[in-house]
Amino acid sequence: MFVNYIDWDLMQVAVLLFDDFETLDVFGPVEIFGRLKDIYSIGFYSLTGGSIGNGHGVSHHTLPLEELANGTDIFLIPGGYGTRKEVQNEELVQSIRNISGKCDFILSVCTGSALLARTGLLDNKAATSNKRAFEWVSTQGINVNWQRKARWTVDGKYYTSSGVSAGIDMTLGFLSDRHGYPFAKKVADELEYLWTEDKDQDPFYELYEN
Amino acid sequence: MFVNYIDWDLMQVAVLLFDDFETLDVFGPVEIFGRLKDIYSIGFYSLTGGSIGNGHGVSHHTLPLEELANGTDIFLIPGGYGTRKEVQNEELVQSIRNISGKCDFILSVCTGSALLARTGLLDNKAATSNKRAFEWVSTQGINVNWQRKARWTVDGKYYTSSGVSAGIDMTLGFLSDRHGYPFAKKVADELEYLWTEDKDQDPFYELYEN
């Protein structure tokens, strides 16, 4: 599926924030979508809106998720320590479920797939997560087809990545799927980023399996 | 030089922001220092303080640089389109010069080295920058020993990196220099990041030279 670059409407990327989100899970993909200003537009959201921070000293203003009641084009769900608490937040999980049902694409990074798994929307779908949190994440969706060896997974409209940096690789992979490989490779080169281009090539699988 | 992990005082990392900073130049290194909460503490600063944003839709609250009048431990200077304008901002350049003189380490990412070069502090020192902006950056400090082929450079207390993602490699290299290679490698692995460990190995040199 290729996007027409001269579409009048930018594709909206809604980034979910919650307390103790992982910095790079968010700002890796944001760097990529953000520099493609002619195609994508980014907004930050949280359950109640306002300023949301993490233990790295980073905070960002957000709009309330209810503003996404009609869905959006792309919904980005990061991971981080905060997911440990938020998987128990029924209101947030319900909100993610409702919004995801009305989005064209849902992308999770790292332990963000735990939050997404809690909605049930990943049941019988392929998904992955951070290597070091894999056991815990797996328990958040026992019917998910968890892929331990994957830089990222794609199943229908759901993209999920391995830990932290893998969100960058996945977002480049998303660009490749939508705009073609040369387009994505050009972005990777501009970022001087050593992109793991094959989603099934997982440089960290063996490290954490041994 | 190795840090004693049981030092009472955290090392302060002051991150410079200016309009149109590059997202990943900032939040790559911040992810790394931020997760080492027992050693480093992060603050964001700008010339006048307040909210500073960029074209990616990202903004962050900052304190005024005058609060760093007595220096800090580590001063991080990102790049981005904003540097094109800020190299002409005499007040900012003077402020960077004054603060840098009182810091233990100064780290620049991408075109951040253009700003740093304008202070004169890089004269006769090794430095590098974003490959695609190299010609322009070089003109900002004609007495700098510019290294076109380098993932990052170290010269005394000055660290400078190549484009965008290279800031992550440099920050890991900084950790390695201060805390030892195994410590830095562990952080890279936790981030599932394919670290270019050798600062002289530049995967993008040939791409942009041809």
Side-chain angles (χ1 to χ4, degrees):
Chain A
M1 186 191 321
F2 282 65
V3 159
N4 183 346
Y5 293 173
I6 55 167
D7 263 343
W8 291 104
D9 294 333
L10 293 172
M11 291 192 71
Q12 303 296 317
V13 181
V15 181
L16 175 68
L17 295 186
F18 43 79
D19 290 340
D20 275 333
F21 65 87
E22 192 74 25
T23 301
L24 194 57
D25 290 14
V26 169
F27 293 105
V30 163
E31 165 73 43
I32 295 170
F33 287 124
R35 62 173 37 227
L36 302 170
K37 288 178 212 170
D38 296 337
I39 311 175
Y40 298 100
S41 175
I42 293 172
F44 294 86
Y45 297 83
S46 68
L47 190 54
T48 55
S51 182
I52 301 289
N54 70 16
H56 297 175
V58 176
S59 64
H60 206 280
H61 181 71
T62 62
L63 298 169
L65 277 177
E66 64 189 18
E67 297 202 9
L68 298 176
N70 295 321
T72 186
D73 298 311
I74 299 165
F75 194 26
L76 179 76
I77 303 173
Y81 287 112
T83 58
R84 303 298 198 286
K85 180 180 170 194
E86 300 298 346
V87 292
Q88 306 296 337
N89 184 338
E90 287 296 337
E91 191 181 355
L92 178 63
V93 170
Q94 180 67 43
S95 184
I96 293 172
R97 184 187 300 121
N98 292 345
I99 293 165
S100 297
K102 297 171 185 169
C103 292
D104 291 335
F105 297 98
I106 298 95
L107 280 57
S108 74
V109 180
C110 196
T111 51
S113 55
L115 266 173
L116 192 52
R118 289 288 284 194
T119 65
L121 293 168
L122 288 180
D123 284 1
N124 305 309
K125 289 191 170 61
T128 193
S129 191
N130 184 299
K131 295 284 171 299
R132 294 180 308 131
F134 214 91
E135 301 308 329
W136 172 74
V137 172
S138 302
T139 63
Q140 304 304 312
I142 57 172
N143 297 316
V144 177
N145 179 16
W146 293 107
Q147 307 286 310
R148 195 178 286 267
K149 185 178 180 182
R151 189 63 172 167
W152 74 92
T153 63
V154 186
D155 196 330
K157 70 181 189 179
Y158 294 93
Y159 283 65
T160 69
S161 90
S162 280
V164 197
S165 309
I168 299 175
D169 301 85
M170 176 188 72
T171 306
L172 291 166
F174 178 82
L175 292 189
S176 183
D177 292 346
R178 295 186 61 73
H179 311 294
Y181 170 79
F183 182 93
K185 183 70 167 77
K186 181 169 177 284
V187 173
D189 287 343
E190 286 174 3
L191 296 176
E192 298 188 30
Y193 184 71
L194 286 176
W195 177 25
T196 299
E197 301 176 2
D198 177 355
K199 67 185 173 54
D200 299 320
Q201 182 192 330
D202 186 348
F204 294 92
Y205 172 71
E206 291 189 5
L207 178 73
Y208 287 111
E209 285 304 291
N210 294 328
Chain B
M1 187 190 320
F2 282 63
V3 160
N4 183 346
Y5 292 171
I6 55 167
D7 263 343
W8 291 103
D9 293 332
L10 294 172
M11 290 191 72
Q12 303 296 317
V13 181
V15 180
L16 176 68
L17 296 187
F18 43 80
D19 289 341
D20 275 331
F21 65 87
E22 192 73 27
T23 300
L24 194 58
D25 289 12
V26 168
F27 293 106
V30 162
E31 166 72 44
I32 295 170
F33 287 124
R35 61 174 36 227
L36 302 170
K37 289 177 211 172
D38 297 336
I39 311 176
Y40 298 101
S41 175
I42 294 173
F44 294 86
Y45 297 84
S46 68
L47 189 55
T48 55
S51 183
I52 301 290
N54 69 17
H56 298 173
V58 176
S59 64
H60 205 280
H61 181 71
T62 62
L63 297 170
L65 276 177
E66 63 189 18
E67 297 201 10
L68 297 177
N70 294 321
T72 187
D73 297 313
I74 299 164
F75 194 26
L76 179 76
I77 304 172
Y81 287 111
T83 58
R84 302 298 198 284
K85 180 180 170 194
E86 299 299 347
V87 292
Q88 306 296 338
N89 184 338
E90 288 296 338
E91 190 181 355
L92 177 64
V93 170
Q94 180 67 42
S95 184
I96 292 172
R97 184 187 298 122
N98 292 345
I99 292 165
S100 297
K102 298 173 184 168
C103 292
D104 291 335
F105 297 99
I106 297 94
L107 280 56
S108 74
V109 180
C110 196
T111 51
S113 55
L115 266 173
L116 193 52
R118 289 288 283 194
T119 65
L121 293 167
L122 288 181
D123 283 0
N124 305 309
K125 290 192 170 58
T128 194
S129 191
N130 184 299
K131 294 285 172 299
R132 294 179 310 131
F134 214 92
E135 301 307 329
W136 172 75
V137 172
S138 303
T139 63
Q140 304 305 311
I142 57 172
N143 296 316
V144 177
N145 179 15
W146 292 109
Q147 309 285 309
R148 195 178 284 269
K149 184 177 179 182
R151 189 64 171 165
W152 74 93
T153 63
V154 187
D155 196 329
K157 69 181 190 178
Y158 296 92
Y159 283 65
T160 69
S161 89
S162 279
V164 198
S165 308
I168 299 174
D169 301 85
M170 176 187 72
T171 306
L172 291 166
F174 178 81
L175 292 189
S176 183
D177 292 346
R178 295 187 62 73
H179 311 294
Y181 171 78
F183 182 93
K185 183 70 167 78
K186 182 169 177 288
V187 173
D189 287 344
E190 286 174 3
L191 296 176
E192 299 189 29
Y193 184 71
L194 285 176
W195 177 26
T196 299
E197 302 176 0
D198 177 355
K199 67 185 173 55
D200 299 320
Q201 183 192 330
D202 185 348
F204 293 92
Y205 172 71
E206 291 189 7
L207 178 72
Y208 287 111
E209 285 303 293
N210 296 329

